[in-house]
Amino acid sequence: MSRLKQSLIPYLTKDEIQDTVERIAKEIERDYRGKEIVLIAPLKGSILFVSDLARKINLAQLVDFVHLASEPGNAAHNSSPSVKIVKDIGVNITGKHVLIIEEIIDAGRTLSFLKNRLLASNPASLKIVTLLDKPARRVINIKPDYVGRTIEDRFVVGYGMDDDGFGRNLPDIYYLKH
Ligand code: IMP
Ligand code: MG
């Protein structure tokens, strides 16, 4: 039973998602052949994407999670939105080839914050992977290195992505009806 308040419009089926994940996995395998990689997935939205992607990448790899929380800005106090770390990474990424695994990039604030946090640990390389990219919403200039699909400025749920906590378990991805 769905707890989503609005109706769902199909966007990507689970087969289309798997084809996209497969394509990204092949690109990463080709680019990192012979190397060890570390996948860093921000909780919670990326859980399904990273679990599928990790299984499709045939390279020695570590997987770790980071949990970030964004706090909305407050116009009355002239503050802009900020990001804080709820759970930091637990692996040492110094000198490692690191890939951030995002399910969707919107304004780019979360990702920009995470990128700076990880760069402070001096990885050998750092690249960004996202299943979906919404460039029209970008507030911070940040570009992913691997993109599944570029989407228009619409809110999506399913395959890890939520609407107020619900919908992450849906195997397909949907647009929310306005
Ligand atoms: P931003 O790029 O800092 O704005 O934040 C990106 C995060 O917001 C993503 O990792 C998602 O967790 C969440 N997000 C952005 N757009 C959507 C959407 O359309 N559906 C569900 N979650 C979204
Ligand atoms: Mg996310």
Side-chain angles (χ1 to χ4, degrees):
M1 232 265 311
S2 171
R3 285 280 305 271
L4 296 164
K5 295 173 206 85
Q6 289 156 288
S7 39
L8 304 174
I9 303 161
Y11 167 52
L12 280 181
T13 65
K14 54 179 180 297
D15 289 345
E16 289 169 327
I17 296 168
Q18 291 312 316
D19 287 350
T20 306
V21 177
E22 184 83 42
R23 196 199 78 227
I24 298 173
K26 290 285 154 286
E27 288 173 16
I28 293 172
E29 257 177 42
R30 184 197 60 209
D31 294 349
Y32 291 85
R33 189 158 295 142
K35 295 186 175 128
E36 204 176 286
I37 58 172
V38 184
L39 308 182
I40 305 284
L43 293 167
K44 303 171 189 172
S46 59
I47 51 170
L48 300 187
F49 180 39
V50 76
S51 67
D52 284 339
L53 186 68
R55 280 178 285 182
K56 287 181 160 69
I57 300 175
N58 186 18
L59 292 173
Q61 59 182 272
L62 297 176
V63 180
D64 199 8
F65 297 91
V66 62
H67 195 179
L68 305 170
S70 40
E71 293 174 346
N74 184 330
H77 297 97
N78 215 357
S79 68
S80 44
S82 64
V83 184
K84 65 171 195 193
I85 298 177
V86 179
K87 180 217 166 285
D88 205 351
I89 53 168
V91 296
N92 181 2
I93 58 164
T94 304
K96 301 280 174 61
H97 295 287
V98 176
L99 292 141
I100 298 173
I101 312 299
E102 267 286 19
E103 75 291 358
I104 188 163
I105 308 174
D106 193 69
R109 281 197 188 88
T110 322
L111 192 56
S112 166
F113 178 92
L114 179 59
K115 189 178 171 187
N116 290 332
R117 155 67 194 92
L118 298 180
L119 283 175
S121 295
N122 293 313
S125 67
L126 179 63
K127 287 199 173 173
I128 296 165
V129 183
T130 191
L131 180 65
L132 302 178
D133 189 16
K134 262 195 235 177
R137 294 268 303 169
R138 208 72 98 248
V139 170
I140 288 176
N141 185 20
I142 193 161
K143 277 208 178 77
D145 301 282
Y146 301 89
V147 178
R149 304 255 178 152
T150 301
I151 64 166
E152 56 179 307
D153 179 12
R154 305 246 331 242
F155 198 82
V156 289
V157 293
Y159 195 65
M161 290 168 282
D162 70 304
D163 178 28
D164 206 14
F166 289 95
R168 294 193 200 278
N169 58 316
L170 298 169
D172 297 347
I173 299 176
Y174 301 86
Y175 286 118
L176 284 190
K177 196 167 189 166
H178 293 297

